[in-house]
Amino acid sequence: MPETGAGQAPAGNRDRWLAVLDELEAELTAAAAPEAGEAGRRAAAAWTAPRDLGPLPEELVGRATLLAAAQQEA
């Protein structure tokens, strides 16, 4: 199992969270495009993270918070 420092998530968990946040960001970017229309915004707003990710790594909280706010706006 990979070593982690105090308050840090295992590397695999961090990598999975990064992939999920990248996916959400891509969904939001696509939804913001003029051609996406209402259906694109609804799809972005309905996006949900997988349930088996484990805790959000502390260093990703800021990014996740910004993306969650953008999702709410969608």
Side-chain angles (χ1 to χ4, degrees):
M1 179 175 290
E3 292 289 321
T4 61
Q8 292 183 343
N13 186 54
R14 182 181 182 282
D15 291 346
R16 290 186 67 217
W17 267 106
L18 283 170
V20 166
L21 293 176
D22 288 346
E23 177 187 337
L24 176 55
E25 190 169 37
E27 290 276 335
L28 291 168
T29 299
E35 64 273 7
E38 186 60 30
R41 286 185 286 283
R42 277 196 302 265
W47 183 93
T48 57
R51 295 178 185 239
D52 63 346
L53 286 174
L56 177 64
E58 198 172 314
E59 69 270 18
L60 299 178
V61 169
R63 181 179 179 203
T65 300
L66 290 172
L67 289 171
Q71 184 185 24
Q72 288 292 344
E73 287 181 31

